[in-house]
Amino acid sequence: MFNKVLIANRGEIAVRVIRACRELGLQTVAVYSDADRNALHVRYADEAYSIGPPPARDSYLRMDKLLEVAKKSGAGAIHPGYGFLAERAEFSQACEDEGIVFIGPRPHAIATMGDKARARATVAAAGVPVVPGTEGKENLTDDELLAIAPKIGFPLLIKAVAGGGGKGMREVRSPEEMPALLRSARAEAEAAFGDGNVYLEKLIEGARHIEIQILADTHGHVIHLGERECSIQRRHQKLFEESPSPSVGQDEEFRQKMGMVAVRAAQAVDYVSAGTIEFLVDKDKHFYFLEMNTRLQVEHPITEYVTGVDIVKEQIRIARGRPLGYTQDQIAMHGWAMEARINAEDPYNNFMPSIGRIDHMLLPTGPGVRVDTGVYSGFEITPYYDSLISKLIVWGESRGHAIQRMRRALEEYKIVGVRTTIPFHQNLLKQSRFIAGSFDTRFVEERFSMEEADAMRETYPEIAAIMATLVAHQETLRAAHVIRNAKRDTSNWKWYSRWERIHR
Amino acid sequence: MFNKVLIANRGEIAVRVIRACRELGLQTVAVYSDADRNALHVRYADEAYSIGPPPARDSYLRMDKLLEVAKKSGAGAIHPGYGFLAERAEFSQACEDEGIVFIGPRPHAIATMGDKARARATVAAAGVPVVPGTEGKENLTDDELLAIAPKIGFPLLIKAVAGGGGKGMREVRSPEEMPALLRSARAEAEAAFGDGNVYLEKLIEGARHIEIQILADTHGHVIHLGERECSIQRRHQKLFEESPSPSVGQDEEFRQKMGMVAVRAAQAVDYVSAGTIEFLVDKDKHFYFLEMNTRLQVEHPITEYVTGVDIVKEQIRIARGRPLGYTQDQIAMHGWAMEARINAEDPYNNFMPSIGRIDHMLLPTGPGVRVDTGVYSGFEITPYYDSLISKLIVWGESRGHAIQRMRRALEEYKIVGVRTTIPFHQNLLKQSRFIAGSFDTRFVEERFSMEEADAMRETYPEIAAIMATLVAHQETLRAAHVIRNAKRDTSNWKWYSRWERIHR
Amino acid sequence: MKYMTTVNGQELEVEILDEHHVAVNGKVYVVDMAAVSGQPLYSLLAEHRSFEGYIYENEGLWQVLMGGTLYEVRVEDEQLRRLRLAGGGGGKESGPFLLKAPMPGLVVAVPVTPGQEVKKGDVLVVLESMKMQNELKAGKDGKVEKVKVEVGQAVEQGQVMVSVV
Amino acid sequence: MKYMTTVNGQELEVEILDEHHVAVNGKVYVVDMAAVSGQPLYSLLAEHRSFEGYIYENEGLWQVLMGGTLYEVRVEDEQLRRLRLAGGGGGKESGPFLLKAPMPGLVVAVPVTPGQEVKKGDVLVVLESMKMQNELKAGKDGKVEKVKVEVGQAVEQGQVMVSVV
């Protein structure tokens, strides 16, 4: 079979895949845009090929160039990572056509799960619960929607068919308010997308986002690796994940029930490789299929920590046509794992992206800490790609231990040169609701603010005052020194020389 | 009980202990010499106290200052780490006298195990096998030694009573050559130590250094955590450790036999806290007590990886008077762990110490990799303390997987500013004898050389030539540029500007 | 040297006595400050407690990020303080507001036109960077004077996109 | 620009053709070299293969540490090469040998005295540093001229301790 793998990605996930290949004795081929010549995945791979200018559409999204590099380098397989081309059925198809192994699912599975309505119909037919609603039936009139609404039940959501980003979305609590809300939703959707069509969906209150990791080989074996809790989100972007979920916890029966349903969903599309079934789970532990991610997830390491399964190595094993290394009854969750996504964003400035050169980095290390990152001291963060620069993953014997360890690791983690979301996570881990495990997908947006979080905590204003004053004082001395130069202020020389020394 | 711990140490082990305390919610107090103001343990601790000039005898070995800081800061306990005062019975005693909990064994246990003859007699009385010999019986005449020799059996060693460092040591293969060797050994010992007394010890050929980690609480429970293989040594300094030992491997009966004997040795001195029993093991799996280390070991993390037990947290739990968190039958070894000691030494120059500022550091990360270190980019390595700057620890499902992972981690690990032993480990991991697991304590000194190892490997002389030539070429251009300044050599401007850019 | 230092609205008198002594509202702290890896990361030992903070200057104020908490700090000596107070309170909002690109990016929306009245906080430009849509808002009430970018345009960091007078 | 480059005794002709092309014994390599985090750590892509090496200068030679292997490299242009060859082979061992401390440390033994004959490789000083005893040896045969340190003395890096003529 293949013994050289092209990694059609960049950043931490490219590094992750290269490591797995290297540990399996496989050769690796990196591709890079002009912005990434010095990126870690280029440095760590056995071979590296330039594929174009920085914008992804000119480089990492260019199927033709990737296939050309695969052929030129003799790579027998391509790992797509996540994002970019990972969920493009035509890329999986193109690999197949060229006789290159695509380390992921087959085109049909990607295409089916990539179309929301088809995915919903397919899994529903396999007996997987879906959120009640009218999605898939388009062009319904107001009268039709008003007739269906009571069957779905209130509260419910009006959503734009063309939609996204909350535009044209309305929450409906009673039949009476529905006509007016339909009108305004349609108007907003029309304005935003040029399409006023809407559909209805049951509103799951206090919903958690919980997902099940599955693995499927080419011999018909499908297993699940338990759940991940991903409700800590902002603008539908996950920020922090844990496994197990606090709302599943010791309820093994519930875990297995969700797991079995997830396996069924995967089987419904003849799934192969690693994949994830996302569910919305309500307070009463009813769960509804949300979507399937037909690829490796960002947050896969927390599942690796609690199950001991190396998911990327399993993907490669599957792609080589070998049976899974585990049966379902060999999978058990041990302890608790958490992942904090470290983004180059300023949590004190509305999570605004932050770019620049990383001047200094100090990684948290020691027992139970794993960092997956594609950056290093000296690397330049550019505006071309997403802001995820590092994943901090910890393991503890229990949720409490994992929280304590995550706190100490976050405090140790120092990144100089760009702003990061580290303070966000530090604040999150101090919130009593988070510690109690009682949060839903709206927690960050509705119940959390950095400023309030700061105000609630033990603070050291005197210390901050001393620090800032010493630095400001020094800046003044430094400026004065430059101006006066020859006429050195001897009363300050000691300070100055000390400063010079510590800044060297 | 105590909720603030003073760490009477520096470097990676101080950081390790601070992390454990922090994760347990305990306050930490660091101490530092003038050379260590910016050390990681000072930065990570809640409090930090200066205790004197760089030389250890003026700072880290000053019991009076340490106890004074403990009292001043209100620390209820002291963790000694390893080295410095960790195995000084009088320090354990002084803590006891001052009402401060010493996180380690009681003075009697330290004192007994610290005296080689007493330790040997004590454990032998408890039925622990010791290396046959005459140690403990001093002032034996040549005639007496010649009479005892056949009972010990050949080959045997003549060793200086006052000795150390191989001075006065002779290997004896037959009774005939013994009188002459006795004479020369006595003469050498006399010259080196002013004491010509010698003793005999059976020579264990092809011996491995294998040690058993034990844990003992104040309630009389003693358990062992399996073995560590520590035969990769140079000048009696361990360089690389693994757990399990390849020579024990799946032989669970042998492991338990050694483990039970180790427990007996610990019980013989009413041992409390974490400790290690070192054995010499011959080819036929006979094992002999070597010594007991009455403290935490440098290499404890490999045992943590394979057993899942956090040894430092257990030490603290024991010191708080609580029973062990585990019983013997809850301890199982899972997978394989290895530790490479990264020393600031030049393996290509006879392991000469290397000092200086760490200008840049890139840590290996990802699954199954743990780094314990006390240094960072910007930190200054001084000549005052030992050369261990980092421990690279990996875990794999099997020995083969662990070796592969260690190789990729070593290749990723970049330290700029001092020379390190990373290339030594890279070469070690390519040696077929090492890979086969067939090595003894003399392997590194007798069967290994960096130059030969390099010569055996796949090399890239053309690539090295290109690299060096490009750098040399650039140096020439740079020099020329400085000299000629205004008269810029335009044919080279492209090179130069590119160089400037990549060096910024 | 005496400073008036304001931390999150709380005024403190900070006097630097010598290299190792600082008084805050008269209370003396024994201190030892060091830049551990060059600016802006500092280690401070104060009365033997170990703190670590990032210190950023931002429009005349100091941001101290320490232990996951952000402190906004104003440091003034008497002269500076007198000047600022004499300047009056309204000085800040006078003059035009120039919306500069906080990072390189692609303009994906410009929901305002010249002459339009805007309130402080209204979105002036949506800029895409790092695959995120970032809403950039008016810093004051006023009238849009100039719009210097259009949808689809790539902008450099610091480039002025909209002015409000 | 042409160089004669000797790697572990093997002579190669290395010609730098332009920024991205280097010929080794006539074989052209497409190369891309970058200092990834300042010197001495370099990333080299050569014919799409990715290499990383530390490059240290040491007494006129270059040490390339790459993939756990150390290469000793001499790089000379024609002029330098001619000069070296003209200088003859015996030039190296002439002149006094000065034993300098390779690091700060404490002298724990000086087993030679002035006037004593020594062989290349004989121990001249034992220096303790980082808790290790390091044997420092004679770089040539000869006679000990001066011993400038004594047991128990602390020495600085680079300090001359013994000379051999």
Side-chain angles (χ1 to χ4, degrees), chain A residues 353 355 360 383 385 415 426 454 457 460 469 473 498, chain C residues 3 5 19 32 37 54 67-68 70-71 104 130 134:
Chain A
I355 60 159
H360 177 71
Y385 314 108
I415 299 176
Q426 290 183 287
D454 274 0
R457 300 173 57 186
Y460 301 96
T469 308
H473 178 67
R498 175 168 176 79
Chain C
Y3 292 90
T5 300
E19 194 182 352
D32 184 8
S37 301
Y54 299 86
L70 188 74
Y71 302 83
M130 287 182 149
N134 307 285

PDB file of all heavy atoms in Angstrom, chain A residues 353 355 360 383 385 415 426 454 457 460 469 473 498, chain C residues 3 5 19 32 37 54 67-68 70-71 104 130 134:
ATOM      1  N   PRO A 353      -9.384  39.711  15.481  1.00  0.00           N
ATOM      2  CA  PRO A 353      -8.166  38.973  15.116  1.00  0.00           C
ATOM      3  C   PRO A 353      -6.906  39.780  15.415  1.00  0.00           C
ATOM      4  O   PRO A 353      -6.914  41.003  15.311  1.00  0.00           O
ATOM      5  CB  PRO A 353      -8.302  38.757  13.610  1.00  0.00           C
ATOM      6  CG  PRO A 353      -9.729  38.927  13.302  1.00  0.00           C
ATOM      7  CD  PRO A 353     -10.290  39.864  14.325  1.00  0.00           C
ATOM      8  N   ILE A 355      -2.790  39.918  14.504  1.00  0.00           N
ATOM      9  CA  ILE A 355      -1.727  39.352  13.675  1.00  0.00           C
ATOM     10  C   ILE A 355      -0.390  39.918  14.107  1.00  0.00           C
ATOM     11  O   ILE A 355      -0.325  40.893  14.853  1.00  0.00           O
ATOM     12  CB  ILE A 355      -1.948  39.634  12.173  1.00  0.00           C
ATOM     13  CG1 ILE A 355      -1.990  41.145  11.951  1.00  0.00           C
ATOM     14  CG2 ILE A 355      -3.212  38.978  11.667  1.00  0.00           C
ATOM     15  CD1 ILE A 355      -1.703  41.527  10.533  1.00  0.00           C
ATOM     16  N   HIS A 360       7.968  35.688  21.413  1.00  0.00           N
ATOM     17  CA  HIS A 360       8.389  34.809  22.509  1.00  0.00           C
ATOM     18  C   HIS A 360       7.250  33.874  22.826  1.00  0.00           C
ATOM     19  O   HIS A 360       6.080  34.250  22.753  1.00  0.00           O
ATOM     20  CB  HIS A 360       8.718  35.663  23.744  1.00  0.00           C
ATOM     21  CG  HIS A 360       9.082  34.852  24.946  1.00  0.00           C
ATOM     22  ND1 HIS A 360      10.267  34.154  25.034  1.00  0.00           N
ATOM     23  CD2 HIS A 360       8.417  34.601  26.104  1.00  0.00           C
ATOM     24  CE1 HIS A 360      10.310  33.528  26.212  1.00  0.00           C
ATOM     25  NE2 HIS A 360       9.201  33.789  26.865  1.00  0.00           N
ATOM     26  N   PRO A 383      -2.912  37.321   8.140  1.00  0.00           N
ATOM     27  CA  PRO A 383      -4.374  37.419   8.145  1.00  0.00           C
ATOM     28  C   PRO A 383      -5.059  36.419   7.210  1.00  0.00           C
ATOM     29  O   PRO A 383      -6.273  36.432   7.092  1.00  0.00           O
ATOM     30  CB  PRO A 383      -4.635  38.857   7.669  1.00  0.00           C
ATOM     31  CG  PRO A 383      -3.449  39.188   6.835  1.00  0.00           C
ATOM     32  CD  PRO A 383      -2.294  38.432   7.410  1.00  0.00           C
ATOM     33  N   TYR A 385      -5.339  33.017   7.122  1.00  0.00           N
ATOM     34  CA  TYR A 385      -5.944  31.751   7.538  1.00  0.00           C
ATOM     35  C   TYR A 385      -6.648  31.926   8.874  1.00  0.00           C
ATOM     36  O   TYR A 385      -6.596  32.996   9.467  1.00  0.00           O
ATOM     37  CB  TYR A 385      -4.871  30.656   7.589  1.00  0.00           C
ATOM     38  CG  TYR A 385      -3.997  30.682   6.363  1.00  0.00           C
ATOM     39  CD1 TYR A 385      -2.681  31.120   6.424  1.00  0.00           C
ATOM     40  CD2 TYR A 385      -4.532  30.356   5.109  1.00  0.00           C
ATOM     41  CE1 TYR A 385      -1.897  31.192   5.283  1.00  0.00           C
ATOM     42  CE2 TYR A 385      -3.758  30.436   3.954  1.00  0.00           C
ATOM     43  CZ  TYR A 385      -2.439  30.853   4.048  1.00  0.00           C
ATOM     44  OH  TYR A 385      -1.682  30.949   2.921  1.00  0.00           O
ATOM     45  N   ILE A 415       2.490  33.835  25.435  1.00  0.00           N
ATOM     46  CA  ILE A 415       2.679  34.132  24.015  1.00  0.00           C
ATOM     47  C   ILE A 415       2.828  35.641  23.884  1.00  0.00           C
ATOM     48  O   ILE A 415       1.926  36.384  24.279  1.00  0.00           O
ATOM     49  CB  ILE A 415       1.489  33.641  23.168  1.00  0.00           C
ATOM     50  CG1 ILE A 415       1.351  32.111  23.303  1.00  0.00           C
ATOM     51  CG2 ILE A 415       1.668  34.032  21.698  1.00  0.00           C
ATOM     52  CD1 ILE A 415       0.141  31.534  22.583  1.00  0.00           C
ATOM     53  N   GLN A 426      -9.096  31.529  30.951  1.00  0.00           N
ATOM     54  CA  GLN A 426      -8.837  31.685  32.387  1.00  0.00           C
ATOM     55  C   GLN A 426     -10.089  32.165  33.106  1.00  0.00           C
ATOM     56  O   GLN A 426     -10.399  31.723  34.210  1.00  0.00           O
ATOM     57  CB  GLN A 426      -7.677  32.661  32.607  1.00  0.00           C
ATOM     58  CG  GLN A 426      -6.345  32.070  32.174  1.00  0.00           C
ATOM     59  CD  GLN A 426      -5.188  32.998  32.467  1.00  0.00           C
ATOM     60  OE1 GLN A 426      -5.007  34.006  31.799  1.00  0.00           O
ATOM     61  NE2 GLN A 426      -4.411  32.684  33.480  1.00  0.00           N
ATOM     62  N   ASP A 454     -13.804  39.483  35.088  1.00  0.00           N
ATOM     63  CA  ASP A 454     -12.669  40.101  35.778  1.00  0.00           C
ATOM     64  C   ASP A 454     -13.096  40.698  37.110  1.00  0.00           C
ATOM     65  O   ASP A 454     -12.413  40.557  38.124  1.00  0.00           O
ATOM     66  CB  ASP A 454     -12.054  41.206  34.903  1.00  0.00           C
ATOM     67  CG  ASP A 454     -11.024  40.637  33.921  1.00  0.00           C
ATOM     68  OD1 ASP A 454     -10.811  39.411  33.939  1.00  0.00           O
ATOM     69  OD2 ASP A 454     -10.456  41.423  33.155  1.00  0.00           O
ATOM     70  N   ARG A 457     -13.453  38.355  40.160  1.00  0.00           N
ATOM     71  CA  ARG A 457     -12.316  37.589  40.634  1.00  0.00           C
ATOM     72  C   ARG A 457     -11.491  38.357  41.644  1.00  0.00           C
ATOM     73  O   ARG A 457     -11.582  39.565  41.761  1.00  0.00           O
ATOM     74  CB  ARG A 457     -11.443  37.209  39.450  1.00  0.00           C
ATOM     75  CG  ARG A 457     -12.188  36.390  38.454  1.00  0.00           C
ATOM     76  CD  ARG A 457     -11.377  36.181  37.239  1.00  0.00           C
ATOM     77  NE  ARG A 457     -10.115  35.555  37.613  1.00  0.00           N
ATOM     78  CZ  ARG A 457      -9.143  35.355  36.762  1.00  0.00           C
ATOM     79  NH1 ARG A 457      -9.276  35.760  35.525  1.00  0.00           N
ATOM     80  NH2 ARG A 457      -8.043  34.778  37.147  1.00  0.00           N
ATOM     81  N   TYR A 460      -5.674  42.341  41.925  1.00  0.00           N
ATOM     82  CA  TYR A 460      -4.527  42.953  42.583  1.00  0.00           C
ATOM     83  C   TYR A 460      -4.271  44.334  41.986  1.00  0.00           C
ATOM     84  O   TYR A 460      -3.275  44.524  41.276  1.00  0.00           O
ATOM     85  CB  TYR A 460      -3.300  42.055  42.405  1.00  0.00           C
ATOM     86  CG  TYR A 460      -3.484  40.677  42.978  1.00  0.00           C
ATOM     87  CD1 TYR A 460      -3.893  39.615  42.179  1.00  0.00           C
ATOM     88  CD2 TYR A 460      -3.280  40.437  44.340  1.00  0.00           C
ATOM     89  CE1 TYR A 460      -4.075  38.346  42.710  1.00  0.00           C
ATOM     90  CE2 TYR A 460      -3.458  39.180  44.881  1.00  0.00           C
ATOM     91  CZ  TYR A 460      -3.859  38.142  44.061  1.00  0.00           C
ATOM     92  OH  TYR A 460      -4.039  36.893  44.601  1.00  0.00           O
ATOM     93  N   THR A 469       3.405  51.569  36.798  1.00  0.00           N
ATOM     94  CA  THR A 469       4.152  52.764  37.176  1.00  0.00           C
ATOM     95  C   THR A 469       5.648  52.569  36.963  1.00  0.00           C
ATOM     96  O   THR A 469       6.330  53.465  36.456  1.00  0.00           O
ATOM     97  CB  THR A 469       3.856  53.151  38.643  1.00  0.00           C
ATOM     98  OG1 THR A 469       2.443  53.225  38.820  1.00  0.00           O
ATOM     99  CG2 THR A 469       4.490  54.486  38.995  1.00  0.00           C
ATOM    100  N   HIS A 473       7.604  54.841  34.460  1.00  0.00           N
ATOM    101  CA  HIS A 473       8.746  55.571  35.015  1.00  0.00           C
ATOM    102  C   HIS A 473       9.994  55.298  34.170  1.00  0.00           C
ATOM    103  O   HIS A 473      10.732  56.216  33.792  1.00  0.00           O
ATOM    104  CB  HIS A 473       8.958  55.101  36.453  1.00  0.00           C
ATOM    105  CG  HIS A 473      10.130  55.732  37.143  1.00  0.00           C
ATOM    106  ND1 HIS A 473      10.171  57.079  37.460  1.00  0.00           N
ATOM    107  CD2 HIS A 473      11.299  55.202  37.577  1.00  0.00           C
ATOM    108  CE1 HIS A 473      11.314  57.343  38.073  1.00  0.00           C
ATOM    109  NE2 HIS A 473      12.021  56.224  38.145  1.00  0.00           N
ATOM    110  N   ARG A 498      20.070  48.792  35.544  1.00  0.00           N
ATOM    111  CA  ARG A 498      19.355  47.570  35.848  1.00  0.00           C
ATOM    112  C   ARG A 498      18.386  47.227  34.728  1.00  0.00           C
ATOM    113  O   ARG A 498      18.260  46.089  34.307  1.00  0.00           O
ATOM    114  CB  ARG A 498      18.585  47.740  37.152  1.00  0.00           C
ATOM    115  CG  ARG A 498      17.732  46.543  37.437  1.00  0.00           C
ATOM    116  CD  ARG A 498      17.190  46.543  38.838  1.00  0.00           C
ATOM    117  NE  ARG A 498      16.308  45.409  38.999  1.00  0.00           N
ATOM    118  CZ  ARG A 498      16.686  44.184  39.208  1.00  0.00           C
ATOM    119  NH1 ARG A 498      17.965  43.911  39.277  1.00  0.00           N
ATOM    120  NH2 ARG A 498      15.817  43.205  39.332  1.00  0.00           N
TER     121      ARG A 498
ATOM    122  N   TYR C   3       3.839  59.391  41.492  1.00  0.00           N
ATOM    123  CA  TYR C   3       2.883  59.289  40.385  1.00  0.00           C
ATOM    124  C   TYR C   3       1.473  59.137  40.937  1.00  0.00           C
ATOM    125  O   TYR C   3       1.279  58.587  42.019  1.00  0.00           O
ATOM    126  CB  TYR C   3       3.192  58.073  39.495  1.00  0.00           C
ATOM    127  CG  TYR C   3       4.480  58.195  38.726  1.00  0.00           C
ATOM    128  CD1 TYR C   3       5.680  57.727  39.270  1.00  0.00           C
ATOM    129  CD2 TYR C   3       4.508  58.769  37.465  1.00  0.00           C
ATOM    130  CE1 TYR C   3       6.873  57.837  38.562  1.00  0.00           C
ATOM    131  CE2 TYR C   3       5.693  58.890  36.755  1.00  0.00           C
ATOM    132  CZ  TYR C   3       6.883  58.416  37.316  1.00  0.00           C
ATOM    133  OH  TYR C   3       8.056  58.528  36.615  1.00  0.00           O
ATOM    134  N   THR C   5      -1.584  57.096  39.978  1.00  0.00           N
ATOM    135  CA  THR C   5      -1.845  55.944  39.123  1.00  0.00           C
ATOM    136  C   THR C   5      -3.294  55.500  39.319  1.00  0.00           C
ATOM    137  O   THR C   5      -3.731  55.268  40.447  1.00  0.00           O
ATOM    138  CB  THR C   5      -0.858  54.814  39.469  1.00  0.00           C
ATOM    139  OG1 THR C   5       0.467  55.300  39.257  1.00  0.00           O
ATOM    140  CG2 THR C   5      -1.095  53.582  38.615  1.00  0.00           C
ATOM    141  N   GLU C  19      15.296  51.431  43.910  1.00  0.00           N
ATOM    142  CA  GLU C  19      15.183  50.288  43.010  1.00  0.00           C
ATOM    143  C   GLU C  19      14.296  49.185  43.592  1.00  0.00           C
ATOM    144  O   GLU C  19      13.648  48.456  42.844  1.00  0.00           O
ATOM    145  CB  GLU C  19      16.591  49.748  42.718  1.00  0.00           C
ATOM    146  CG  GLU C  19      16.626  48.784  41.561  1.00  0.00           C
ATOM    147  CD  GLU C  19      18.034  48.230  41.336  1.00  0.00           C
ATOM    148  OE1 GLU C  19      18.993  48.709  41.981  1.00  0.00           O
ATOM    149  OE2 GLU C  19      18.150  47.307  40.523  1.00  0.00           O
ATOM    150  N   ASP C  32      10.894  43.678  43.282  1.00  0.00           N
ATOM    151  CA  ASP C  32      11.978  43.300  42.377  1.00  0.00           C
ATOM    152  C   ASP C  32      11.325  43.009  41.041  1.00  0.00           C
ATOM    153  O   ASP C  32      10.569  42.060  40.907  1.00  0.00           O
ATOM    154  CB  ASP C  32      12.707  42.065  42.922  1.00  0.00           C
ATOM    155  CG  ASP C  32      13.917  41.689  42.067  1.00  0.00           C
ATOM    156  OD1 ASP C  32      14.268  42.453  41.153  1.00  0.00           O
ATOM    157  OD2 ASP C  32      14.495  40.618  42.313  1.00  0.00           O
ATOM    158  N   SER C  37      11.639  37.985  29.334  1.00  0.00           N
ATOM    159  CA  SER C  37      12.093  37.609  27.992  1.00  0.00           C
ATOM    160  C   SER C  37      11.938  38.802  27.086  1.00  0.00           C
ATOM    161  O   SER C  37      11.374  38.710  26.017  1.00  0.00           O
ATOM    162  CB  SER C  37      11.279  36.437  27.463  1.00  0.00           C
ATOM    163  OG  SER C  37      11.407  35.339  28.331  1.00  0.00           O
ATOM    164  N   TYR C  54       1.755  40.948  31.403  1.00  0.00           N
ATOM    165  CA  TYR C  54       2.070  41.606  30.137  1.00  0.00           C
ATOM    166  C   TYR C  54       1.705  43.072  30.334  1.00  0.00           C
ATOM    167  O   TYR C  54       0.636  43.380  30.871  1.00  0.00           O
ATOM    168  CB  TYR C  54       1.194  41.097  29.004  1.00  0.00           C
ATOM    169  CG  TYR C  54       1.304  39.631  28.677  1.00  0.00           C
ATOM    170  CD1 TYR C  54       0.549  38.686  29.366  1.00  0.00           C
ATOM    171  CD2 TYR C  54       2.115  39.194  27.638  1.00  0.00           C
ATOM    172  CE1 TYR C  54       0.619  37.341  29.035  1.00  0.00           C
ATOM    173  CE2 TYR C  54       2.191  37.852  27.299  1.00  0.00           C
ATOM    174  CZ  TYR C  54       1.436  36.933  28.007  1.00  0.00           C
ATOM    175  OH  TYR C  54       1.490  35.609  27.675  1.00  0.00           O
ATOM    176  N   GLY C  67      -2.602  37.231  35.395  1.00  0.00           N
ATOM    177  CA  GLY C  67      -3.442  36.169  35.941  1.00  0.00           C
ATOM    178  C   GLY C  67      -4.798  36.089  35.263  1.00  0.00           C
ATOM    179  O   GLY C  67      -5.802  35.755  35.890  1.00  0.00           O
ATOM    180  N   GLY C  68      -4.850  36.404  33.972  1.00  0.00           N
ATOM    181  CA  GLY C  68      -6.109  36.334  33.249  1.00  0.00           C
ATOM    182  C   GLY C  68      -7.029  37.509  33.513  1.00  0.00           C
ATOM    183  O   GLY C  68      -8.194  37.493  33.135  1.00  0.00           O
ATOM    184  N   LEU C  70      -7.466  41.786  33.133  1.00  0.00           N
ATOM    185  CA  LEU C  70      -6.925  42.975  32.474  1.00  0.00           C
ATOM    186  C   LEU C  70      -7.174  44.211  33.334  1.00  0.00           C
ATOM    187  O   LEU C  70      -8.301  44.453  33.777  1.00  0.00           O
ATOM    188  CB  LEU C  70      -7.581  43.163  31.107  1.00  0.00           C
ATOM    189  CG  LEU C  70      -6.979  44.265  30.234  1.00  0.00           C
ATOM    190  CD1 LEU C  70      -5.628  43.825  29.675  1.00  0.00           C
ATOM    191  CD2 LEU C  70      -7.925  44.619  29.097  1.00  0.00           C
ATOM    192  N   TYR C  71      -6.126  44.961  33.599  1.00  0.00           N
ATOM    193  CA  TYR C  71      -6.237  46.206  34.348  1.00  0.00           C
ATOM    194  C   TYR C  71      -5.924  47.361  33.393  1.00  0.00           C
ATOM    195  O   TYR C  71      -4.914  47.314  32.691  1.00  0.00           O
ATOM    196  CB  TYR C  71      -5.239  46.242  35.500  1.00  0.00           C
ATOM    197  CG  TYR C  71      -5.374  45.099  36.473  1.00  0.00           C
ATOM    198  CD1 TYR C  71      -4.775  43.865  36.220  1.00  0.00           C
ATOM    199  CD2 TYR C  71      -6.112  45.240  37.650  1.00  0.00           C
ATOM    200  CE1 TYR C  71      -4.895  42.810  37.114  1.00  0.00           C
ATOM    201  CE2 TYR C  71      -6.229  44.193  38.552  1.00  0.00           C
ATOM    202  CZ  TYR C  71      -5.621  42.976  38.272  1.00  0.00           C
ATOM    203  OH  TYR C  71      -5.737  41.943  39.165  1.00  0.00           O
ATOM    204  N   PRO C 104      -4.663  43.827   8.467  1.00  0.00           N
ATOM    205  CA  PRO C 104      -4.920  43.699   7.033  1.00  0.00           C
ATOM    206  C   PRO C 104      -6.186  42.880   6.833  1.00  0.00           C
ATOM    207  O   PRO C 104      -6.520  42.034   7.659  1.00  0.00           O
ATOM    208  CB  PRO C 104      -3.702  42.924   6.510  1.00  0.00           C
ATOM    209  CG  PRO C 104      -2.719  42.883   7.610  1.00  0.00           C
ATOM    210  CD  PRO C 104      -3.451  43.118   8.878  1.00  0.00           C
ATOM    211  N   MET C 130      -8.567  36.599   8.830  1.00  0.00           N
ATOM    212  CA  MET C 130      -8.495  35.304   9.505  1.00  0.00           C
ATOM    213  C   MET C 130      -9.821  34.559   9.423  1.00  0.00           C
ATOM    214  O   MET C 130     -10.268  33.956  10.387  1.00  0.00           O
ATOM    215  CB  MET C 130      -8.113  35.493  10.964  1.00  0.00           C
ATOM    216  CG  MET C 130      -6.667  35.875  11.145  1.00  0.00           C
ATOM    217  SD  MET C 130      -6.283  36.030  12.867  1.00  0.00           S
ATOM    218  CE  MET C 130      -4.566  35.530  12.867  1.00  0.00           C
ATOM    219  N   ASN C 134     -15.330  41.014  10.912  1.00  0.00           N
ATOM    220  CA  ASN C 134     -15.155  41.881  12.061  1.00  0.00           C
ATOM    221  C   ASN C 134     -15.855  43.214  11.842  1.00  0.00           C
ATOM    222  O   ASN C 134     -15.566  43.919  10.880  1.00  0.00           O
ATOM    223  CB  ASN C 134     -13.666  42.108  12.312  1.00  0.00           C
ATOM    224  CG  ASN C 134     -12.920  40.797  12.408  1.00  0.00           C
ATOM    225  OD1 ASN C 134     -13.022  40.105  13.421  1.00  0.00           O
ATOM    226  ND2 ASN C 134     -12.216  40.436  11.343  1.00  0.00           N
TER     227      ASN C 134
END
